[in-house]
């Protein structure tokens, strides 16, 4: 799939649509007044790339491919949110313009509420695609940006206005879920590829899942030889686990490791994606005198 994927990347290089911009800070959104049927055409490259997925072989290659596919799908989902936001704003303008409370409530229920429900689903799609890409602290920052910067204006403030017009709380279908329902993942946000001699290897792993794992462990050995040693990771908080491998454990040698998480249903997840066949390599560099 390499050459076909390269052709897609060449086509969109310096020509990507821009669904987010600086709006009261980085990574902000604003409503898009254009119809989605028009905007959607700008994201045809995402579908073109998706068509190549059956041709990708190997867990490592598939992980790299899916990162980009999910990134492009995230961009498309974000653009969809902007269009729905504009539609919802128009409906709410009609609600606000109505003076009669009973009629205003009816307009809110029939025109604004369905758009609100569709918008909530679109925001869920954005988060589903975004969380498929998160692998480092910067990408975690994008999640935080949505929660702290975008959602207050996109969903929270309009929710209060719509509830007031309806005269009752919004149904669950019109409120974002607080539960993760996507596929479980193991995320190691800071991947060390080298250590200074005498330095401990500290590994933090995030288990992204709707339910906690049964167990999380580090499996390591001197690079390329010997049996793997299992070291459990300690639970820090929520989905965060950590472990420290003392410097004397590997006696100053280069090493390799992978993180294994066993879920409640017995599913086994690994970091890196190529494990247990190919683990993460860590080279030990001599200390400078």
């Amino acid at each position: 799939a390499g050459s076909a994927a390269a052709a897609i990347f060449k086509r969109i290089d310096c020509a990507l649509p821009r669904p987010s911009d600086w709006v009261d800070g980085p990574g902000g959104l604003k409503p898009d007044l254009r119809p989605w049927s028009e905007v959607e055409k700008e994201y045809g490259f995402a579908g073109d790339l998706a068509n190549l997925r059956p041709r990708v072989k190997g867990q490592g290659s598939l992980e790299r491919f899916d990162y980009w596919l999910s990134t492009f799908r995230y961009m498309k989902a974000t653009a969809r949110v902007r269009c729905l936001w504009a539609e919802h704003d128009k409906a709410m303008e009609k609600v606000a313009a109505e003076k009669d409370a009973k009629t205003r409530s009816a307009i809110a229920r029939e025109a604004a509420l369905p758009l609100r429900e569709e918008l909530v689903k679109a925001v869920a799609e954005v988060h589903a695609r975004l969380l498929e890409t998160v692998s480092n602290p910067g990408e975690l920052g994008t999640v935080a940006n949505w929660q702290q910067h975008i959602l207050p204006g996109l969903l929270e403030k309009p929710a209060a206005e719509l509830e007031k017009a309806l005269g009752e709380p919004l149904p669950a279908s019109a409120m974002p879920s607080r539960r993760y329902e996507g596929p479980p993942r193991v995320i190691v946000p800071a991947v060390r590829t080298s250590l200074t001699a005498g330095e401990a290897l500290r590994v933090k792993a995030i288990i992204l899942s709707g339910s906690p794992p049964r167990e999380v462990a580090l499996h390591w050995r001197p690079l390329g030889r010997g049996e793997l040693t299992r070291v459990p990771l300690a639970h820090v908080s929520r989905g965060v686990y950590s472990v420290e491998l003392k410097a004397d454990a590997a006696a100053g040698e280069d090493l390799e490791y992978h993180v294994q998480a066993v879920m409640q249903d017995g599913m086994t997840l690994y970091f890196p994606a190529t494990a247990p066949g190919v683990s993460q390599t860590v080279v030990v560099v001599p200390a400078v005198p």
Side-chain angles (χ1 to χ4, degrees), residues 134-172:
V134 170
S135 59
N136 59 51
E139 290 161 352
L140 285 169
T142 303
V143 177
N145 184 66
W146 269 91
Q147 300 295 316
Q148 300 171 16
H149 179 199
I150 299 174
L151 292 188
L154 174 63
L155 291 184
E156 293 174 16
K157 183 180 178 183
E161 295 170 352
L162 185 54
E163 284 185 338
K164 183 178 180 180
L166 289 169
E168 61 186 45
L170 293 178

Side-chain angles (χ1 to χ4, degrees), residues 62-80:
L62 193 59
E63 182 190 45
R64 290 187 291 274
F65 179 89
D66 281 345
Y67 174 88
W68 287 105
L69 179 58
S70 293
T71 295
F72 294 154
R73 284 174 166 171
Y74 162 72
M75 292 175 63
K76 182 178 179 179
T78 300
R80 172 69 171 148

Side-chain angles (χ1 to χ4, degrees), residues 107-125:
I107 295 174
R109 188 176 306 280
E110 295 168 11
L113 182 57
L115 283 170
R116 164 77 185 193
E117 291 173 330
E118 197 171 353
L119 181 58
V120 166
K121 289 180 182 178
V123 170
E125 173 70 8

Side-chain angles (χ1 to χ4, degrees), residues 124 127-128 131 175-182 208-212 264:
H127 280 73
L131 291 171
M175 296 298 291
S177 172
R178 293 181 177 273
R179 179 175 175 81
Y180 176 72
E181 297 178 351
L208 179 60
S209 174
S211 57
Q264 296 293 338

